[in-house]
Amino acid sequence: MSTCEEHLNITIDENEVIVGVKDIIKRIKPSWALQQLHFKVFTDGRTNKLIGVWCSGHYTDMVLIRIYGNNSDLLIDRKSEINNIRILNKAGYTHCIYATFNNGFAYEFLEGETLTTETVRDPKIYPLIAKRMAEMHDLKFENKSVLKEAFIWEKLKKFMQIMPKRFSDSLKQAKFEMLIPSYAILEKEYQMLKSTLSKVNSPVVFAHNDLLLGNVLYNSKQESVVFIDYEYTAFNYQAFDIANHFTEFAGFDEPDYSLYPSESFQKMWLKEYLQVYNMTTTVPENDIDKLYWQVTKFTPLPHFLWAIWALIQSEHSHIDFDFLTYASIRFNEYFKWKEEISKLKSNYDE
């Protein structure tokens, strides 16, 4: 584990990625012969570029180099991200960082397969995810003065301030007007979410906040999972982190929201989670029911957040992906869930 990684005054040109990656490797792996380097471009990311580098015969010693996406600092607090990785690495939960550079960082490769819509509900795997999330949520901080306040409202407010209100491209603008609710409607929805969800009394915990399928690695040899990509990690509502993970059962490129987990599956998952979070082998049904209800109440919010995120990406990202259509899909899910929840009544309501 590395706690004293260096900062390199290098900026990688996204049009000359391999040249820049070699500059980083020269500094952090000086014994590696440049002519024996191999490169793998990972294509799962929707914000950054990710390159794996290794020397002939040393695949398991791969270094991952993440290059931040265009204007992604509008969305992500990069200092917090690096600090979060250090905290979680120290706790034994994730990779170490070898070096930071001006527009990214180099870090340790961890073996494992990213999840699929099938493996995320595998009975061997989902309890590992639930337990690891519970451990992360219960992480103890040495600094007792850390402010434990849910980051979601400030983050969403900032996203809404910087989201595009119109596009210079006329085709994009027409699509925007056809697919996306007006800013006045979104502002009203934001205020409603804030006032209702703040009263759900979900505990504020150290949350991942972006646990999509690509951000969980499963190592079948060790029968373990590790979370990656801590760009949005911060203190937040427990129920948000869990609800966000459940919404990601749908997949990303062409999400299928019929794959959202059933009540019975969620309750099995939540039982595994609560055994670790409450440090007990017996979890009362009432505790599971209460957390299930809180998670259900929070389910519209991740759709709202990632819809706004996708709008921002549609203006700034250089990644080849239809972010505008993705934003529309997430808004549709948001309104569908809002409608469904309005019909539900529970003992846990105010």
Side-chain angles (χ1 to χ4, degrees), residues 296-339:
T296 303
K297 291 282 273 191
F298 266 88
T299 300
L301 183 55
H303 290 298
F304 192 82
L305 172 71
W306 299 119
I308 305 279
W309 168 87
L311 285 179
I312 298 165
Q313 291 282 45
S314 70
E315 175 154 276
H316 296 287
S317 178
H318 292 165
I319 289 169
D320 182 20
F321 184 75
D322 188 349
F323 286 105
L324 213 46
T325 298
Y326 184 76
S328 166
I329 290 167
R330 296 300 299 244
F331 277 130
N332 288 344
E333 279 302 300
Y334 166 75
F335 285 108
K336 192 181 97 182
W337 269 99
K338 182 190 169 191
E339 178 69 20

Side-chain angles (χ1 to χ4, degrees), residues 9 20 33 70 80 98 101-102 111 145 155 159 167 182 188 219 221 223 226 235 244 268 298 304:
N9 188 20
N70 185 54
S80 286
Y98 297 131
F101 52 95
N102 298 337
E111 273 195 272
S145 63
K155 178 62 84 173
F159 276 17
F167 290 91
S182 71
K188 191 176 159 195
N219 185 321
K221 284 182 241 167
E223 293 190 342
V226 66
F235 284 98
N244 184 72
M268 290 190 298
F298 266 88
F304 192 82

Side-chain angles (χ1 to χ4, degrees), residues 16 24 83 99 129 212 244 258:
E16 296 278 353
I24 304 289
N83 193 44
I129 301 167
L212 44 79
N244 184 72
S258 70

Side-chain angles (χ1 to χ4, degrees), residues 12-282:
I12 294 183
D13 180 341
E14 63 177 44
N15 300 312
E16 296 278 353
V17 167
I18 298 302
V19 173
V21 165
K22 283 181 177 176
D23 283 344
I24 304 289
I25 292 297
K26 273 190 266 189
R27 301 283 291 275
I28 63 174
K29 293 282 186 182
S31 64
W32 286 9
L34 293 182
Q35 64 273 25
Q36 290 180 18
L37 293 184
H38 301 267
F39 305 91
K40 178 178 180 179
V41 179
F42 292 87
T43 55
D44 293 346
R46 290 285 169 251
T47 304
N48 312 292
K49 289 187 175 175
L50 183 61
I51 315 289
V53 194
W54 69 99
C55 200
S56 291
H58 296 281
Y59 181 77
T60 54
D61 197 22
M62 186 193 296
V63 172
L64 294 175
I65 295 182
R66 171 176 297 182
I67 303 139
Y68 299 146
N70 185 54
N71 284 341
S72 59
D73 54 336
L74 291 171
L75 299 159
I76 296 153
D77 180 338
R78 295 298 183 184
K79 281 185 182 169
S80 286
E81 178 190 8
I82 296 294
N83 193 44
N84 290 331
I85 294 170
R86 289 183 187 131
I87 290 165
L88 291 157
N89 171 246
K90 192 174 176 186
Y93 293 166
T94 197
H95 52 73
C96 71
I97 296 174
Y98 297 131
T100 57
F101 52 95
N102 298 337
N103 60 333
F105 61 97
Y107 60 103
E108 176 188 16
F109 168 71
L110 297 174
E111 273 195 272
E113 296 291 323
T114 53
L115 298 186
T116 66
T117 51
E118 290 80 33
T119 56
V120 71
R121 56 180 75 239
D122 185 311
K124 291 198 304 291
I125 299 174
Y126 83 76
L128 299 173
I129 301 167
K131 288 169 183 170
R132 178 43 50 96
M133 190 189 280
E135 288 167 346
M136 185 173 168
H137 285 180
D138 197 36
L139 201 59
K140 302 290 186 277
F141 283 76
E142 291 166 10
N143 182 357
K144 302 297 179 194
S145 63
V146 171
L147 186 63
K148 293 189 177 181
E149 195 174 283
F151 94 130
I152 188 67
W153 307 121
E154 278 304 307
K155 178 62 84 173
L156 247 181
K157 190 173 164 187
K158 185 186 175 191
F159 276 17
M160 290 179 73
Q161 284 167 350
I162 62 175
M163 66 175 259
K165 311 301 187 283
R166 63 178 299 110
F167 290 91
S168 51
D169 181 307
S170 58
L171 285 176
K172 224 176 195 182
Q173 178 61 21
K175 190 173 178 180
F176 176 67
E177 287 171 15
M178 186 173 70
L179 295 178
I180 307 301
S182 71
Y183 186 80
I185 289 171
L186 296 181
E187 175 63 29
K188 191 176 159 195
E189 294 300 318
Y190 168 81
Q191 296 300 344
M192 181 276 299
L193 285 164
K194 188 175 180 181
S195 78
T196 55
L197 294 179
S198 299
K199 295 172 191 157
V200 170
N201 293 324
S202 178
V204 173
V205 297
F206 192 56
H208 186 285
N209 296 315
D210 188 21
L211 211 57
L212 44 79
L213 302 181
N215 285 347
V216 184
L217 295 178
Y218 173 62
N219 185 321
S220 55
K221 284 182 241 167
Q222 296 177 3
E223 293 190 342
S224 64
V225 298
V226 66
F227 299 163
I228 57 172
D229 286 11
Y230 295 96
E231 293 171 325
Y232 297 97
T233 295
F235 284 98
N236 201 9
Y237 299 109
Q238 176 190 57
F240 174 91
D241 212 13
I242 299 169
N244 184 72
H245 177 58
F246 289 162
T247 65
E248 298 296 348
F249 277 46
F252 188 92
D253 286 336
E254 294 177 11
D256 175 2
Y257 288 105
S258 70
L259 297 175
Y260 187 80
S262 65
E263 179 177 345
S264 61
F265 179 91
Q266 286 188 54
K267 286 184 172 177
M268 290 190 298
W269 196 104
L270 295 171
K271 185 178 180 181
E272 298 281 353
Y273 171 92
L274 286 168
Q275 283 177 341
V276 174
Y277 187 75
N278 292 344
M279 291 185 285
T280 178
T281 50
T282 53

